[in-house]
Structure formats: C-alpha cells, structure tokens
Amino acid sequence: MNAPRPRPQPRPWYRTASRRRLLRRPRLPESRGARALCATLVAAATAAALAWLWYGTPYPQSDPDRIAVRLKDQAQRAYDEAALPGRPEVERGRVETGTCYYRGLRSVAHIDEGRSDVRSFRLAWQVRAVPEDVALSGLQRMRARLEREGWTLVDTGVDRPGFRFRNPAGEDDVQQVEHVDARWYRETGTYTVSAYAGCGKLPDGFYEYTWPERDWVPEAVPGTPVTPPAARSATPR
C-alpha cells in the first residue's frame, strides 16, 4: 500500500510577494498633490537664493526731499556752532548725489560701474581764511553736541584738526544722516563741514539738476532786524 503524499505547504507571504511590492511605501491620499507642492516650494526657494546671490541685498527706497531736509539741518547747526565772525557766505552749499555700486555676483560684471537708479547724498560747505582760535572753538562745540546726541566718533584728524562721527540711528534707515565730517586746514584756513546719507533707490522721475531742494544757504542770524539810519542830505544847512 502506497503511503499518502504529503500535502504541499503554502509558501510564506514574504517569499511570494515581489520585493518591489514589499518595499513600496503606502500611498497616502493626495500624495501626488503634496509632492507637487513641495517641488514648487523647493523651486521657488532655489530661484530666490540664486537671485539673492546674483543681485545681492536690495537697496532700500530713498526719499530725497526728506534726506535733504536732514542734511540741511546738520549743515545749519554746524554753521551756527562755528560762530564765524560776520557770518560769511559759504562756498558750495549744495546737496549732491554720490555713486553707489552693484551688489552680489552681479557686481563682478559691473566692476567700478555706478548705478543710475541708486545714489547716496552729501551736503558740504566751506569758508576760507578762518582764524585758528575760531575754528578750534567751532569744532569743539560741534563735537560736544554730537557726543551729547549719542553719535559715535570714528575718526580724528591726524595732520589737521577735525573729526568724523557716525549716527547709530542711521545704520538701518537710509533717510537718516549717516555721517558728519568737520575739518580745519591750517594751510589755507579753510573750515569745512560735510554731511552724508547712505545709498538708496531713487524714486521714478527724480532729476538732480532740477531738484528744488538741491541748494542751501545759511539762515540769517536770529533776532530783531536792525533798521538802517535814514539818509542824510549832502547839502550843508
């Protein structure tokens, strides 16, 4: 009598399932949309990073009229502190723009090339033949005032009396006066003061040479105006 054949045992599931099926992650509902969203976010972040590397940190928007008012205020205060005898007229006395350059990797393609849409601002005035004692007194008064207001001394005169101060409030605000500089040149007796504002993007339509706020002259001495004497007749009586 023949012995009964053993019944075949089923193979374990992990041997019958394909390896790809075993390693496949469970698919969640809307996983395709989530992957598309992630891909979009990654692409946007990459584009933003590349743009930042190429263009650098963007310049803030500037307000030339507001900047001019603050530069003129510093110029007037420095002129009053100088207490120049006779309050002479100043040379220059004009708000001018300065060169600002490209940032980021783009600057490599524009070496030493200034941007026409981004400019800094500067107001400088000077008076010649100022006596030494008058100049030193004026510089001392100006320096004391800047120190009281919290400005930071960044430079002193090496071969000529003077100083340069930085405004901490102007580091993050392009509308503020950033630096002031005052010097007295012993050779010519020239007393000079300059105020600076940092680089900012100009508004559309700004044109420096027809700008109404460009020119500056010191204000007259405050007080009651003096009435001139009446003219006398040249014919003897």
Side-chain angles (χ1 to χ4, degrees):
M1 184 175 182
N2 295 332
R5 296 182 179 181
R7 299 178 61 182
Q9 299 293 329
R11 300 180 63 183
W13 66 271
Y14 53 82
R15 292 185 179 179
T16 58
S18 65
R19 181 175 299 178
R20 181 176 300 179
R21 182 179 177 184
L22 290 176
L23 298 178
R24 184 182 302 169
R25 295 180 180 179
R27 177 174 299 179
L28 298 177
E30 301 181 357
S31 61
R32 182 175 300 175
R35 287 197 300 269
L37 177 60
C38 290
T40 302
L41 293 176
V42 170
T46 303
L50 292 175
W52 183 85
L53 288 174
W54 177 251
Y55 292 102
T57 304
Y59 284 102
Q61 192 72 31
S62 68
D63 184 343
D65 290 343
R66 186 177 179 185
I67 294 171
V69 169
R70 294 182 172 178
L71 291 174
K72 292 178 182 181
D73 176 69
Q74 287 294 331
Q76 182 66 48
R77 297 174 74 179
Y79 186 85
D80 294 338
E81 290 159 348
L84 303 176
R87 298 193 52 104
E89 295 182 358
V90 301
E91 298 180 22
R92 303 163 79 175
R94 177 180 296 169
V95 181
E96 299 177 333
T97 64
T99 303
C100 299
Y101 297 95
Y102 291 87
R103 291 176 170 178
L105 295 178
R106 190 183 182 190
S107 62
V108 178
H110 299 273
I111 297 178
D112 296 332
E113 180 181 346
R115 292 182 54 166
S116 60
D117 61 333
V118 179
R119 305 288 288 179
S120 63
F121 292 85
R122 172 178 179 263
L123 172 56
W125 61 265
Q126 65 181 23
V127 175
R128 299 180 184 274
V130 177
E132 182 174 4
D133 58 337
V134 174
L136 296 181
S137 297
L139 291 173
Q140 184 178 4
R141 285 188 290 269
M142 184 178 176
R143 177 170 180 169
R145 187 256 304 174
L146 292 171
E147 289 176 343
R148 287 195 307 270
E149 295 178 351
W151 291 58
T152 303
L153 179 66
V154 294
D155 182 40
T156 57
V158 177
D159 56 347
R160 62 183 64 89
F163 48 76
R164 182 181 179 90
F165 274 83
R166 175 175 53 82
N167 182 6
E171 293 179 352
D172 300 322
D173 185 358
V174 72
Q175 317 300 340
Q176 296 281 352
V177 178
E178 187 177 79
H179 291 90
V180 292
D181 188 283
R183 307 284 168 178
W184 180 70
Y185 298 84
R186 183 172 283 104
E187 299 79 9
T188 59
T190 302
Y191 191 98
T192 177
V193 174
S194 301
Y196 303 85
C199 294
K201 189 172 179 59
L202 298 175
D204 294 337
F206 175 80
Y207 186 61
E208 177 182 355
Y209 300 102
T210 58
W211 183 27
E213 294 292 337
R214 184 184 184 201
D215 294 326
W216 172 81
V217 293
E219 296 178 1
V221 179
T224 305
V226 178
T227 303
R232 296 183 178 181
S233 175
T235 303
R237 295 182 180 180

